[in-house]
């Protein structure tokens, strides 16, 4: 077992195994260490001794076995361990390594996909190819227009050259391209990547951003989200930005509790949870839209029906009180559905015009509620205000003087109904009605313009019928073995790759972080 050699091993916890180990008991963790949280593809040694080096497992009388986690711990049944006769009363579970990357790399090497880009990366010909002569002149004249000048001014000469050179290369439709951007720590590689990806997003270029580790992926995603937020808050951004948070997707096996609020909004599991709620046929967006339309158009009839169904009391609810309470009860879930749609779906999917109408609708609903809370309109006037027939209200309005508040409420009611009907009809033909989590995960991947993932997790994208991705950007590429970088490069339709790294960074190597858990019997 070479992975254990020259490695100091530490007993981090004593834990109870569920069914299968006789007389197991739960013991508190030692030294403040947390208990093991197994993940799919973890490899363990289960033995009756605490080994210091690999040779300890070969001692006479030592009994041990290899164990691997092959199911998702969230959905698998309790772990059962069968013990053989002769094992001592204490068993030790030793974590060796997670095999996910090794397994996925081996499978990716046998795919033989997207070979054009693979040949560009691993081509034995060391000659550097010049830019395509058919495209270079045209591209050089438009490159500056594709990047926010304010962002370019924040970069130095070499950083600007890296971004403009990448944009120039990807404009070529005649061949695949590979760019290498390297620099030592502190030279602004991550800043350059974030501005590059933000610029590609404004050009409607679908991109995949990868890194070897989750922490690097999270840092890159957070930087780009901050750029997006700054662009949306500026006057220029309001006019030009054609994307929303729904265009960003953080994909992979991450601990949601460790993500900040901004990253949590684009994490795939949280997004799917929100869309399940939004697309539900009984409690989803369509139900809330229809309920509000029915109320605004015919709340007087609903009020009289409620009076008929209630037990007659000395004091009956007034129409004004009914309207206030009922409107508030319908507006809260409706506005939540609108927030989910505007946050978790790309603007180009729901259409910019619908996006703007829903923003306006939220403003109308809030103003309508404020006016209702402040007004003391008589029930007779309120009943005429909410008359189902528009012509009837105009006749009444012409025969008597209505207050400013009543006229404003009627105008807001009419506008709200129009927007609800228009947006509801448009979204009904564009949004799915399924609440299946696998379907919605694939739906999010298909419609996102910028996907963040570790190199290992990008393997799962091969199993999804993705819309074509145009660009692959790998950060910290020098930490990857060549065979590992093949995983995302073989995604179909990727024609351009940019590798960012530091040639002085320690190369990728096999390492072992060994953890031991004691399973003690009575």
């Amino acid at each position: 077992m070479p992975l254990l050699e020259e490695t100091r091993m530490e007993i981090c916890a004593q834990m109870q195994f569920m069914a299968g180990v006789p007389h197991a008991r739960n013991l508190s963790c030692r030294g403040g260490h947390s208990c093991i949280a197994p993940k799919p593809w973890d490899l363990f040694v289960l033995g009756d001794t605490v080994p210091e080096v690999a040779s300890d497992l070969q001692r006479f009388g030592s009994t041990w076995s290899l164990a691997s986690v092959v199911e998702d711990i969230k959905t698998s049944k309790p772990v059962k361990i069968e013990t053989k006769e002769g094992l001592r009363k204490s068993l030790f579970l030793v974590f060796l390594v997670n095999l996910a990357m090794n397994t996925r790399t081996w499978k990716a090497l046998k795919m033989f996909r997207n070979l054009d880009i693979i040949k560009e990366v691993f081509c034995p010909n060391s000659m550097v190819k010049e830019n395509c002569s058919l495209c270079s002149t045209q591209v050089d004249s438009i490159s500056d227009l594709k990047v926010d000048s304010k962002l370019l001014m924040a970069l130095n000469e070499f950083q600007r050259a890296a971004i403009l050179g990448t944009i120039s290369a990807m404009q070529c439709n005649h061949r695949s391209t590979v760019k290498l951007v390297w620099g030592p720590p502190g030279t602004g590689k991550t800043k350059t990547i974030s501005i590059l990806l933000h610029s590609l997003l404004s050009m409607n270029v679908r991109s995949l951003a990868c890194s070897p580790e989750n922490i690097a992926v999270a840092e890159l995603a957070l930087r780009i989200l901050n750029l997006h937020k700054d662009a949306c808050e500026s006057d220029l951004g309001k006019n030009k930005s054609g994307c929303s948070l729904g265009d960003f997707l953080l994909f992979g096996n991450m601990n949601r509790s460790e993500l900040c609020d901004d990253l949590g909004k684009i994490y795939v599991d949280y997004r799917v949870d929100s869309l399940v709620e939004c697309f539900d046929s009984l409690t989803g967006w369509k139900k809330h839209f229809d309920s509000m339309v029915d109320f605004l158009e015919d709340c007087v009839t609903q009020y009289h029906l409620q009076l008929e169904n209630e037990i007659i009391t000395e004091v009956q609810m007034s129409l004004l009180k009914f309207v206030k309470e009922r409107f508030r009860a319908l507006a809260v879930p409706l506005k939540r559905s609108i927030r989910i749609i505007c946050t978790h779906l790309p603007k180009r999917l729901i259409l910019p015009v619908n996006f703007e109408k829903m923003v306006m609708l939220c403003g109308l609903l809030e103003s309508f509620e404020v006016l209702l809370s402040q007004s003391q309109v008589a029930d007779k006037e309120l009943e005429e205000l909410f008359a189902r027939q528009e012509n009837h209200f105009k006749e009444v309005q012409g025969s008597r003087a209505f207050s400013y508040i009543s006229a404003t409420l009627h105008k807001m009611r009419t506008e709200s109904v129009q927007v609800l009907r228009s947006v509801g009809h448009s979204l009904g033909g564009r949004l799915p009605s399924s609440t299946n989590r696998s379907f919605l995960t694939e739906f999010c991947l298909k419609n996102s313009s910028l996907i963040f993932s570790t190199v290992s997790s990008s393997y799962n994208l091969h199993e999804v019928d993705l819309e074509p991705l145009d660009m692959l950007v790998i950060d910290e590429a020098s930490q990857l073995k060549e065979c590992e970088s093949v995983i995302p490069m073989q995604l179909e339709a990727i024609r351009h790759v940019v590798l960012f790294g530091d040639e002085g960074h320690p190369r990728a190597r096999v390492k072992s972080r060994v953890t031991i858990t004691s399973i003690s019997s009575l």
Side-chain angles (χ1 to χ4, degrees):
M1 305 292 291
L3 293 176
L4 292 175
E5 291 180 1
E6 299 180 2
T7 303
R8 288 296 296 176
M9 292 173 292
E10 174 185 21
I11 299 178
C12 77
Q14 291 184 327
M15 61 182 287
Q16 177 184 19
F17 259 67
M18 292 173 274
V21 179
H23 310 297
R25 63 176 177 175
N26 187 21
L27 299 177
S28 60
C29 298
R30 298 179 180 177
H33 298 287
S34 59
C35 297
I36 286 180
K39 298 178 181 179
W41 299 106
D42 277 353
L43 182 65
F44 297 92
V45 165
L46 179 66
D48 60 348
T49 60
V50 183
E52 292 292 335
V53 292
S55 58
D56 290 348
L57 297 175
Q58 300 173 351
R59 290 183 304 183
F60 178 75
S62 175
T63 304
W64 59 275
S65 299
L66 288 174
S68 177
V69 181
V70 295
E71 294 185 61
D72 190 341
I73 300 301
K74 296 179 181 178
T75 58
S76 63
K77 297 180 180 179
V79 178
K80 294 184 178 181
I81 299 178
E82 297 181 359
T83 60
K84 295 181 179 179
E85 186 177 354
L87 286 178
R88 300 177 184 177
K89 293 184 178 181
S90 293
L91 299 179
F92 295 91
L93 191 65
V94 185
F95 172 77
L96 297 179
V97 70
N98 185 279
L99 298 174
M101 177 63 105
N102 296 339
T103 304
R104 291 166 175 172
T105 300
W106 178 248
K107 291 181 178 180
L109 289 173
K110 297 186 289 183
M111 288 180 177
F112 299 104
R113 298 175 180 172
N114 205 14
L115 295 181
D116 288 342
I117 202 70
I118 298 297
K119 291 176 181 178
E120 288 288 333
V121 177
F122 300 109
C123 181
N125 184 0
S126 60
M127 295 292 292
V128 178
K129 295 182 179 179
E130 298 294 334
N131 290 337
C132 176
S133 58
L134 298 176
C135 301
S136 57
T137 302
Q138 176 187 1
V139 170
D140 289 341
S141 64
I142 65 173
S143 292
D144 291 336
L145 302 178
K146 298 296 183 179
V147 186
D148 190 334
S149 59
K150 293 182 179 179
L151 295 179
L152 280 181
M153 292 300 294
L155 302 175
N156 61 36
E157 176 185 355
F158 300 103
Q159 293 167 339
R160 285 196 296 268
I163 292 177
L164 296 179
T166 300
I167 294 177
S168 296
M170 67 155 296
Q171 297 288 336
C172 176
N173 297 320
H174 301 90
R175 64 181 179 88
S176 300
T177 62
V178 177
K179 292 285 184 179
L180 174 62
V181 181
W182 66 270
T187 54
K189 293 189 297 296
T190 304
K191 180 180 180 180
T192 304
I193 298 174
S194 60
I195 293 179
L196 170 63
L197 290 172
H198 184 268
S199 302
L200 293 174
L201 188 63
S202 66
M203 298 166 56
N204 297 320
V205 175
R206 299 194 72 225
S207 306
L208 171 63
C210 290
S211 190
E213 301 293 338
N214 280 329
I215 187 171
V217 174
E219 179 184 357
L220 178 59
L222 188 58
R223 281 183 180 243
I224 297 177
L225 288 180
N226 289 334
L227 287 176
H228 171 71
K229 185 184 301 184
D230 293 341
C232 291
E233 291 175 354
S234 67
D235 293 335
L236 181 63
K238 289 180 182 178
N239 295 330
K240 294 184 64 176
S241 178
C243 64
S244 61
L245 282 181
D247 287 286
F248 304 91
L249 187 67
L250 182 59
F251 180 73
N253 186 19
M254 295 187 176
N255 188 345
R256 193 190 305 186
S257 63
E258 296 178 356
L259 298 176
C260 65
D261 291 341
D262 288 341
L263 289 179
K265 291 178 181 178
I266 67 170
Y267 183 47
V268 62
D269 286 356
Y270 177 78
R271 177 158 295 171
V272 169
D273 289 343
S274 300
L275 294 182
V276 166
E277 173 191 342
C278 187
F279 293 158
D280 188 274
S281 59
L282 299 178
T283 60
W285 72 270
K286 187 169 180 53
K287 175 67 174 179
H288 299 318
F289 272 56
D290 292 342
S291 297
M292 181 59 79
V293 169
D294 291 341
F295 170 75
L296 292 177
E297 287 191 331
D298 204 17
C299 69
V300 176
T301 301
Q302 294 182 18
Y303 169 69
H304 289 301
L305 287 175
Q306 178 166 315
L307 292 182
E308 294 175 2
N309 294 330
E310 287 181 346
I311 299 176
I312 301 208
T313 59
E314 294 182 359
V315 180
Q316 293 183 345
M317 178 185 295
S318 66
L319 176 60
L320 178 61
K321 184 178 180 181
F322 170 80
V323 171
K324 289 179 180 180
E325 293 182 357
R326 183 60 178 163
F327 178 82
R328 187 179 300 111
L330 293 174
V332 170
L334 173 60
K335 287 188 286 188
R336 174 170 173 78
S337 294
I338 291 175
R339 283 196 297 270
I340 291 176
I341 292 173
C342 293
T343 300
H344 294 291
L345 295 177
K347 192 181 294 185
R348 57 184 170 76
L349 175 66
I350 61 178
L351 298 181
V353 62
N354 288 333
F355 185 93
E356 299 300 328
K357 285 183 178 180
M358 285 188 285
V359 172
M360 179 183 70
L361 177 61
C362 287
L364 285 172
L365 295 175
E366 291 176 2
S367 299
F368 192 89
E369 184 174 358
V370 170
L371 279 179
L372 276 178
S373 64
Q374 295 176 349
S375 66
Q376 297 296 329
V377 183
D379 279 11
K380 181 63 176 177
E381 184 176 343
L382 193 63
E383 187 169 345
E384 294 172 349
L385 171 67
F386 280 93
R388 182 174 179 84
Q389 298 297 329
E390 183 70 18
N391 292 334
H392 171 70
F393 175 78
K394 289 181 179 179
E395 292 176 1
V396 175
Q397 187 182 28
S399 62
R400 54 179 294 188
F402 272 81
S403 66
Y404 171 78
I405 291 180
S406 296
T408 305
L409 283 173
H410 177 264
K411 180 181 178 182
M412 290 181 176
R413 164 183 171 266
T414 303
E415 291 178 355
S416 298
V417 171
Q418 291 174 349
V419 173
L420 284 166
R421 287 191 178 280
S422 172
V423 175
H425 177 74
S426 178
L427 294 182
R430 307 185 68 85
L431 302 185
S433 58
S434 173
T435 56
N436 179 273
R437 295 188 63 85
S438 298
F439 171 83
L440 290 178
T441 299
E442 187 168 337
F443 173 80
C444 292
L445 289 168
K446 284 182 176 181
N447 290 284
S448 299
S449 296
L450 178 52
I451 302 174
F452 302 95
S453 169
T454 61
V455 172
S456 178
S457 294
S458 68
Y459 175 83
N460 295 315
L461 299 179
H462 288 281
E463 302 174 359
V464 179
D465 184 20
L466 279 179
E467 295 295 324
L469 290 166
D470 305 301
M471 173 71 75
L472 169 65
V473 177
I474 301 181
D475 190 17
E476 304 293 352
S478 60
Q479 296 186 39
L480 290 171
K481 295 188 281 290
E482 288 86 347
C483 56
E484 294 171 345
S485 62
V486 169
I487 297 176
M489 287 182 187
Q490 292 195 87
L491 288 168
E492 294 184 9
I494 287 183
R495 301 183 61 251
H496 307 283
V497 176
V498 187
L499 306 174
F500 284 78
D502 176 11
E503 64 176 6
H505 197 283
R507 298 304 181 196
R509 63 185 180 213
V510 177
K511 59 182 180 179
S512 173
R513 183 187 64 189
V514 179
T515 306
I516 302 177
T517 292
S518 172
I519 310 167
S520 301
S521 61
L522 294 171

